[in-house]
Amino acid sequence: MASPDQKSPNVLLQTLCCRILGKGEADVAQQFQYAVRVIGSNFAPTVERDEFLVAEKIKKELVRQGREESAALFSELYRKLYSQGILKNRWSILYLLLSLSEDPRKPSSKVSNFATLFAQALPRDAHSTPYYYARPQTLPLNYQDRNAQPGQSSGSMGSSGISSIGLYAPNGPTPTPQSLLPGQSYQRAGVGDCLRQQLGARLAWTLTAGQPTLQNSSSKGVSAAASRNVPRTRREGDLSGSVEITEAFLVRDILYVFQGIDGKVIKMVNSENCYKVDGKVSLSKSLRDTTSRLAELGWLHNKIRKYTDQRSMDRAFGLVGQSFCAALNQELKEYYRLLSVLHSQLQVEDDQGVNLGSESSLTLRRLLVWTYDPKIRLKTLAALVDHCQGRKGGELASAVHAYSKTGDPYMRSLVQHILGLVSHPVLNFLYRWIYDGELEDTYHEFFVASDPTVKTDRLWHDKYSLRKSMIPSFITMDHSRKVLLIGKSINFLHQVCHDQTPSSKTIAVAKSAESPKDAAEMFTDLENAFQGKIDAAYFETSKYLLDVLNKKYKLLEHMQAMRRYLLLGQGDFIRHLMDLLKPELARPATTLYQHNLTGILETAVRATNAQFDNPEILKRLDVRLLEVSPGDTGWDVFSLDYHVDGPIATVFTRECMSHYLRVFNFLWRAKRMEYILTDIWKGHMCNAKLLKNMPELSGVLHQCHVLASEMVHFIHQMQYYITFEVLECSWDELWNKVQQAQDLDHIIAAHEVFLDTIISRCLLDTDSRTLLNQLRAVFDQILEFQNAQDTLYRSALEELQLRLQFEERKKERELEGEWGVTASEEEEENKRIKEFQDSIPKMCSQLRLLTHFYQGIVQQFLVLLTTSSDESLQFLSFRLDFNEHYKAREPRLRVSLGTRGRRASHI
C-alpha cells in the first residue's frame, strides 16, 4: 500500500515526468519545475472563444487529411449537438478535441532546449480586461526562414496582453543593471520571480523527452549571428574603444527605455520630445529605425505616467479623476508585468549562456512583435490622457465614453473596462441621490448641483439645478432631468412637506453598482437596466409626491379656488359682492378701510354658494388695496387676494400671484363695465315711461339708447371672448394637463402656460399694450357715457318734477275757486321750460361728441384686432362689427381675413 507522501500531487507529477522523458529524477528537474508552473497557472486562452471558428478548423483538418466523409459526419454531429443545447461550454470541448488531434511529439514540434521555448510567441498573461483577439495562437519566430516574405508572418503576431487586474498603482519594475550582467542569476523574489516562472507555462506542452545540448543551440546561434552580420563584441555594454554596438546591447538598453529610463545610448531628446539613439553610435539604418519604433513605448509610458503622477496627488481632481488614474495605473501594472517577463527572459539567456544568434534569444524584431499589442494599448491610453486633459467628474466620464464608440473591438473593450472604473463614482453619486436624496459631491463632479444659500420656500425652483457640462454622454438629457426631479422630490417631501416616510417605502430600492464590474455590466444594457432603474424611481417618487400634495395639502382644490374667486368664476358671489361694494367703492380711494371691505367680503360669502366651500379655502380669501394714485376711486384700488404658503406656494409662487392680480384687475374692470351698462339699461327702461310727457327729449333719449346698445354689444362680445374663449378653454387645457401630470414640474409648467396664455389673450402682455390702451379708452368712454346719461336723467327728472308740481298747484287752486296761475307764475314757468328746452341741443351735441369719440376708438381697436397674429382676436373683430358698420367707414377693415394674415406675416 502506497504511503500518503507517494500520493501527493508533486510526487505523482514528478513520476509522470520521469516516465514521459525516460530519465531519472535528477535529470527531469527542469521539466518538473515547468510542469508545476503550468498546473499552477491561470492563463486565459490565446485564441478567441469562437465556437464556429474551432468547428471550421476541425472540418478543414479532416478534409486536408482526405477524410471528407468524416468531415461530413462531424458537421452532422455538431449540428445535432448545437441544436440540443445540453452542453454550455461547447467551445471548450471542441477546442480540446482540436488540441488532442495535434501530435505535440512530432519532430517539427520539438524544441531544442530550455531556452528554445522563447522562440515561440510570448504567451499572453491572464486578463481581467475584456480582450478581443483574432490572431493565431502562436507566432513561430524561427529565424531559419529569414528569406520568407514578410507578409507570410505578419498575420501571426502574438500579444503581450497588457491587461487590468486590480486597483493597484505600482511604480513598475526597475531592474538594476547588475541583475542583467551575464553569469548572475536573477534572484529577485516576489512578483517578478513569479511572473518569470509563469513565462514558459503556456508553452510547456512543447517539452519533449529528448533535448539537444546547449552546445548545439550555441552553434546554431553562431551561424545565425554570422548570417545577420551583427558585431557581438562587448555584450556588457562597455563602449570604450568601440564604435559599433551589438543588438544585444540595444535590447538591454531598450528594456530600460520601456520604463522611461534613459539607456546608455538611447536617451530622451527634450527638444524633439522623443527617444533617439546617440548620434556618435554607429548603427545600420534598419537597427536605428527599429530602435526608434520600440522607443515609442517609453515615450507613451512617460506620457501616461506623468499624467497619473500629477493627478493622483491632486485632491481637487475628484473621485472620478482618481478612478481614472487608478485605471491607468492598472494598465501600467500589466505593462510592467510584460517588462518583468522580458527581463526574466534576458536573465534566463544569461543563466543558460544562450548567444544572440540562437533561435530563442531576445532580438529587436521579436520585441517589435511582442510589443505590438501593448503599443496599441498604450497609444489608446495616451490618446485618452490627451482627450481628458482639463476635465473632471461627469465631463471626464463623457470623454472616456466617447472613445468607446469605435469599430475596433480591441480598443472598445479596453475603453469600456476603463469606463466601468471611471463611471463607478458617478453611479454611486446617482444612486445615493435617487434613493436617499443625499448629495455628497465635495469636488463638484456630479451633474446635479446644490445651492445651500437658497431657503426652503424656493427649494423646488432654485436650490437644485443641472450642471450640463457634467452630464455623462451615456445619460440622456431626459434621464438627467428625471434624476434631478427624483432627488429634488425626496428633499421636497422631507423639508417642505415634512413627510418623513423612508424612501424605501416610496421607492422599490434596487441594488446599486457596488463594484466597477457592476458598473461595466450596467453599460452593456443601458436601454433596459440603467434607464429602467431611473424610470422606476422617477415614477414612484413623483407619484407619491403628487399624492401628498393633492390629499394632504389640497392642491387641486386651491387651484379651483383661484379659478372661482380670482378669475371671477363664481358668478353669484361676484355679482353680490359688487352690489354690496358699490357704495363703498364709489368713494375716493383714500377714504377706504380694509377691515370694512373684509366685512363686506364675508357677508357676500355667507349670502352665496361660496359658503359651502372648504373653510381652509375661505380662510385664505382676503381683500387687498392697491397703491393709491391721485383721483382714484375705490373701484381702481380694490382687489381680492388669496394667501398661499407651505408646499402649495411652490406652484403658486409670487410671480404667479402677481399674474393673478393683474388678470383679476382686468376682469374686475370688464365686469364693472358690464355692471355699469346694466344699470344704464335699467335706468333707461325705468325713465322712458316717466319722460313720455316730455316729447322734446325723445331725440336725446333715442340717441342715448342707440349708444348704450352699441356699448352693450361691445362689452357682451368682449365678455364672451374673455370668459369662454380665453378662461374656459385655457382652464380646460390646464385641468387636463394636471390630471395627466407625472411630476410636480409638469403641474408647474402647465400652470405657468395657463397664466401666460390668459395674460397674452387678455391683452396684458407687452405685445398687446396698444390694444389694451384702446380697450381701456373704450371703458373710459363708457364711464363718460354713464356720467352724461346720469346728468341728462337728473336734469330731465328735476324738470319733470317741477312741471308736475306746477300742474298740481294749478289744480288745487282751481278746486278752491281761484285762478290756477297768475300771470307772473305762468311767465316764470314758461321761462324755466324754455331754458330747459334750450339745454337739450347742448345735451345732444355732447352725446354726438361722445358717440364720435367712442366709435373712433372702437374703429381703431378693430383695426388693431384685424392685424393681430392671434386668430381668435381676428374673429373677435368680426363679432364686434357684426353689421359691418365700421367696415363701411374704414377701408382697412374691408380686407379679407386671408389677406390680413398674409399682410401681418409680411409685417
Side-chain angles (χ1 to χ4, degrees):
M1 183 173 178
S3 63
D5 292 339
Q6 293 176 348
K7 291 185 178 181
S8 66
N10 289 340
V11 173
L12 295 176
L13 184 60
Q14 189 176 28
T15 305
L16 179 62
C17 292
C18 292
R19 291 187 179 181
I20 291 176
L21 298 177
K23 296 182 180 181
E25 294 182 359
D27 297 329
V28 298
Q30 287 185 336
Q31 287 76 8
F32 171 68
Q33 189 177 19
Y34 267 84
V36 171
R37 294 173 188 168
V38 170
I39 292 176
S41 66
N42 58 348
F43 293 119
T46 58
V47 295
E48 181 188 4
R49 300 178 66 90
D50 192 335
E51 177 184 343
F52 177 76
L53 182 61
V54 177
E56 287 299 314
K57 284 184 178 181
I58 294 176
K59 286 191 286 186
K60 288 180 181 179
E61 180 64 22
L62 292 174
V63 172
R64 187 183 65 81
Q65 296 175 5
R67 300 165 60 187
E68 288 80 2
E69 294 182 0
S70 299
L73 179 60
F74 172 79
S75 298
E76 180 63 20
L77 294 175
Y78 171 68
R79 185 187 64 78
K80 292 181 179 179
L81 179 66
Y82 185 83
S83 61
Q84 289 178 357
I86 298 175
L87 298 178
K88 295 183 179 179
N89 298 318
R90 290 190 299 273
W91 174 86
S92 302
I93 295 174
L94 292 174
Y95 187 72
L96 174 63
L97 294 175
L98 178 62
S99 301
L100 292 176
S101 68
E102 298 175 357
D103 185 7
R105 288 173 289 186
K106 57 187 178 181
S108 59
S109 300
K110 291 183 179 180
V111 283
S112 58
N113 55 27
F114 169 76
T116 311
L117 289 173
F118 297 99
Q120 306 293 332
L122 187 68
R124 185 186 311 126
D125 293 332
H127 298 288
S128 61
T129 303
Y131 181 68
Y132 182 93
Y133 187 72
R135 298 184 180 89
Q137 74 181 74
T138 58
L139 177 63
L141 293 180
N142 195 334
Y143 277 82
Q144 295 172 354
D145 300 331
R146 287 297 303 270
N147 296 325
Q149 294 296 326
Q152 297 175 356
S153 62
S154 61
S156 59
M157 292 181 179
S159 167
S160 66
I162 307 175
S163 58
S164 305
I165 290 183
L167 287 169
Y168 180 65
N171 294 325
T174 309
T176 59
Q178 288 77 10
S179 66
L180 297 176
L181 292 177
Q184 295 184 11
S185 61
Y186 187 68
Q187 299 297 332
R188 184 183 174 211
V191 176
D193 185 60
C194 177
L195 293 176
R196 185 165 64 89
Q197 292 175 4
Q198 294 176 0
L199 176 64
R202 291 301 304 276
L203 302 176
W205 60 271
T206 59
L207 292 176
T208 59
Q211 281 190 336
T213 60
L214 292 176
Q215 285 77 8
N216 292 338
S217 65
S218 299
S219 63
K220 285 187 179 181
V222 172
S223 61
S227 66
R228 286 165 17 170
N229 196 20
V230 178
R232 303 252 353 239
T233 60
R234 309 192 66 83
R235 177 178 173 128
E236 291 77 7
D238 185 6
L239 297 180
S240 59
S242 176
V243 179
E244 296 183 352
I245 299 299
T246 64
E247 186 174 357
F249 181 82
L250 288 176
V251 169
R252 295 178 182 276
D253 235 24
I254 204 69
L255 290 181
Y256 284 101
V257 173
F258 283 169
Q259 304 171 61
I261 303 172
D262 285 355
K264 292 188 177 180
V265 296
I266 307 174
K267 299 180 182 297
M268 168 63 75
V269 180
N270 293 327
S271 59
E272 301 181 21
N273 191 25
C274 65
Y275 281 99
K276 279 193 171 183
V277 181
D278 192 345
K280 299 178 182 179
V281 176
S282 175
L283 277 181
S284 63
K285 187 176 184 301
S286 62
L287 285 179
R288 191 177 292 271
D289 290 344
T290 304
T291 304
S292 298
R293 290 169 62 187
L294 288 170
E296 186 180 356
L297 269 80
W299 182 85
L300 294 171
H301 166 271
N302 288 351
K303 185 173 189 177
I304 300 168
R305 188 59 182 271
K306 180 180 179 182
Y307 179 84
T308 58
D309 289 345
Q310 289 177 348
R311 290 297 190 175
S312 295
M313 304 304 295
D314 183 8
R315 295 182 61 85
F317 196 34
L319 298 178
V320 178
Q322 296 299 328
S323 297
F324 181 55
C325 290
L328 294 177
N329 282 326
Q330 262 193 8
E331 299 302 326
L332 288 180
K333 176 184 176 182
E334 298 305 315
Y335 175 67
Y336 294 145
R337 290 180 61 185
L338 168 67
L339 298 186
S340 297
V341 172
L342 294 177
H343 277 290
S344 299
Q345 162 68 358
L346 195 60
Q347 186 64 38
V348 168
E349 291 180 14
D350 291 339
D351 293 343
Q352 301 296 327
V354 179
N355 296 324
L356 177 65
S358 66
E359 298 176 359
S360 61
S361 62
L362 277 176
T363 63
L364 295 180
R365 289 196 60 183
R366 288 194 177 114
L367 285 180
L368 271 179
V369 173
W370 293 340
T371 58
Y372 176 80
D373 285 327
K375 187 174 181 179
I376 295 177
R377 210 169 181 90
L378 289 181
K379 279 185 176 180
T380 303
L381 298 179
L384 274 177
V385 166
D386 283 338
H387 190 56
C388 296
Q389 288 288 350
R391 303 174 189 265
K392 61 180 289 187
E395 188 179 9
L396 176 61
S398 297
V400 177
H401 181 253
Y403 263 77
S404 66
K405 299 176 181 179
T406 175
D408 184 355
Y410 177 75
M411 182 185 295
R412 184 170 61 249
S413 64
L414 169 64
V415 176
Q416 284 180 346
H417 171 73
I418 295 177
L419 180 61
L421 296 173
V422 169
S423 59
H424 186 237
V426 177
L427 294 182
N428 281 339
F429 288 144
L430 188 145
Y431 287 128
R432 192 73 179 271
W433 172 250
I434 66 175
Y435 292 134
D436 300 325
E438 297 179 4
L439 191 61
E440 297 180 359
D441 186 15
T442 308
Y443 304 106
H444 309 294
E445 302 172 272
F446 194 41
F447 56 85
V448 175
S450 173
D451 185 357
T453 62
V454 176
K455 295 182 179 180
T456 306
D457 58 337
R458 296 293 299 175
L459 180 144
W460 186 269
H461 297 281
D462 300 331
K463 186 165 186 177
Y464 301 106
S465 60
L466 285 177
R467 291 193 190 101
K468 293 186 177 180
S469 62
M470 291 295 173
I471 298 178
S473 55
F474 49 82
I475 299 179
T476 63
M477 181 59 70
D478 181 56
H479 279 84
S480 301
R481 187 187 72 84
K482 289 182 179 179
V483 169
L484 172 65
L485 284 175
I486 294 168
K488 190 162 63 172
S489 300
I490 294 174
N491 284 283
F492 185 80
L493 284 168
H494 292 169
Q495 300 181 35
V496 181
C497 299
H498 306 292
D499 184 282
Q500 301 302 325
T501 304
S503 58
S504 58
K505 293 186 178 181
T506 61
I507 309 173
V509 179
K511 182 183 177 182
S512 62
E514 296 179 353
S515 68
K517 182 179 179 181
D518 296 333
E521 291 176 353
M522 186 72 72
F523 296 110
T524 61
D525 195 12
L526 281 177
E527 292 297 329
N528 298 321
F530 182 64
Q531 296 183 4
K533 290 183 178 181
I534 294 179
D535 289 339
Y538 164 74
F539 287 122
E540 292 294 331
T541 307
S542 300
K543 181 178 180 298
Y544 183 77
L545 173 60
L546 294 183
D547 288 343
V548 170
L549 289 176
N550 292 332
K551 294 178 181 178
K552 184 177 180 180
Y553 293 98
K554 314 294 185 201
L555 175 62
L556 298 183
E557 292 186 22
H558 289 297
M559 198 171 288
Q560 290 175 328
M562 295 284 186
R563 171 70 181 94
R564 289 198 300 270
Y565 299 114
L566 297 188
L567 300 183
L568 311 188
Q570 189 79 20
D572 60 333
F573 166 76
I574 297 300
R575 179 69 189 187
H576 190 59
L577 181 63
M578 278 191 165
D579 291 337
L580 297 178
L581 288 174
K582 183 178 179 181
E584 287 287 330
L585 299 184
R587 295 162 49 191
T590 54
T591 63
L592 297 179
Y593 295 98
Q594 186 167 351
H595 62 272
N596 293 337
L597 300 178
T598 303
I600 295 174
L601 173 64
E602 293 176 355
T603 303
V605 168
R606 290 194 298 269
T608 60
N609 287 330
Q611 63 181 313
F612 301 112
D613 270 348
N614 191 328
E616 176 67 19
I617 291 175
L618 296 177
K619 184 175 65 175
R620 296 175 181 270
L621 193 61
D622 199 3
V623 170
R624 179 177 180 179
L625 295 177
L626 305 180
E627 186 177 352
V628 179
S629 299
D632 283 347
T633 63
W635 291 103
D636 300 315
V637 298
F638 174 81
S639 176
L640 287 180
D641 194 13
Y642 195 86
H643 298 295
V644 291
D645 55 12
I648 63 171
T650 302
V651 179
F652 303 106
T653 59
R654 294 180 181 178
E655 294 80 4
C656 291
M657 296 310 296
S658 66
H659 290 336
Y660 274 112
L661 181 61
R662 291 179 61 193
V663 175
F664 174 83
N665 290 332
F666 172 77
L667 298 177
W668 182 257
R669 185 183 291 264
K671 181 63 73 174
R672 182 193 173 197
M673 295 302 108
E674 184 182 18
Y675 188 78
I676 288 173
L677 289 174
T678 302
D679 287 347
I680 289 175
W681 179 83
K682 286 194 300 184
H684 186 78
M685 292 296 104
C686 294
N687 296 324
K689 294 181 180 180
L690 296 176
L691 299 177
K692 276 185 179 180
N693 298 327
M694 300 176 69
E696 65 270 20
L697 289 176
S698 60
V700 179
L701 294 178
H702 175 71
Q703 195 172 352
C704 285
H705 181 70
V706 170
L707 182 56
S709 298
E710 287 188 29
M711 291 180 173
V712 167
H713 170 71
F714 182 89
I715 292 300
H716 280 179
Q717 292 301 321
M718 286 301 302
Q719 282 285 18
Y720 172 84
Y721 167 75
I722 294 169
T723 304
F724 294 101
E725 295 190 16
V726 177
L727 293 179
E728 286 300 328
C729 293
S730 300
W731 173 257
D732 186 63
E733 291 180 5
L734 170 64
W735 194 251
N736 289 334
K737 289 180 180 179
V738 168
Q739 295 296 328
Q740 299 171 4
Q742 295 179 345
D743 56 53
L744 184 57
D745 264 356
H746 288 167
I747 293 180
I748 294 174
H751 185 247
E752 290 177 352
V753 169
F754 166 73
L755 287 178
D756 292 341
T757 300
I758 62 177
I759 282 178
S760 61
R761 300 187 68 184
C762 286
L763 314 179
L764 297 176
D765 58 340
T766 306
D767 298 334
S768 305
R769 189 178 298 276
T770 307
L771 273 170
L772 181 62
N773 291 335
Q774 288 297 118
L775 185 59
R776 286 178 176 173
V778 173
F779 291 166
D780 292 340
Q781 292 301 311
I782 293 175
L783 293 176
E784 290 288 337
F785 175 65
Q786 181 193 27
N787 295 332
Q789 182 169 288
D790 287 345
T791 303
L792 171 64
Y793 284 145
R794 192 181 308 111
S795 60
L797 291 175
E798 287 178 359
E799 178 63 24
L800 179 62
Q801 185 68 24
L802 291 174
R803 290 184 185 185
L804 292 176
Q805 290 177 359
F806 179 77
E807 292 294 332
E808 188 177 352
R809 286 197 305 270
K810 184 178 177 181
K811 289 179 181 180
E812 288 178 357
R813 288 180 181 181
E814 287 178 351
L815 292 174
E816 293 175 359
E818 299 178 0
W819 292 99
V821 291
T822 62
S824 60
E825 290 177 347
E826 185 176 6
E827 182 180 359
E828 183 180 352
E829 179 70 14
N830 291 334
K831 181 180 178 182
R832 185 180 53 74
I833 292 175
K834 189 169 186 319
E835 289 178 356
F836 176 75
Q837 291 176 346
D838 291 341
S839 66
I840 292 177
K842 183 179 179 181
M843 294 179 186
C844 289
S845 62
Q846 184 180 0
L847 284 174
R848 282 195 298 270
L849 185 63
L850 186 62
T851 303
H852 175 74
F853 280 135
Y854 171 77
Q855 292 182 346
I857 294 171
V858 171
Q859 181 174 301
Q860 183 62 28
F861 182 70
L862 292 175
V863 172
L864 293 174
L865 287 179
T866 57
T867 57
S868 173
S869 59
D870 191 346
E871 290 185 357
S872 60
L873 292 178
Q874 295 178 10
F875 285 112
L876 175 63
S877 67
F878 293 141
R879 294 200 299 272
L880 293 176
D881 189 22
F882 72 100
N883 59 357
E884 299 186 351
H885 169 73
Y886 294 99
K887 182 178 179 180
R889 297 174 54 183
E890 175 56 58
R892 289 178 290 179
L893 297 177
R894 299 172 192 167
V895 185
S896 65
L897 180 59
T899 307
R900 291 172 190 164
R902 290 194 296 271
R903 182 177 64 185
S905 64
H906 288 308
I907 293 175

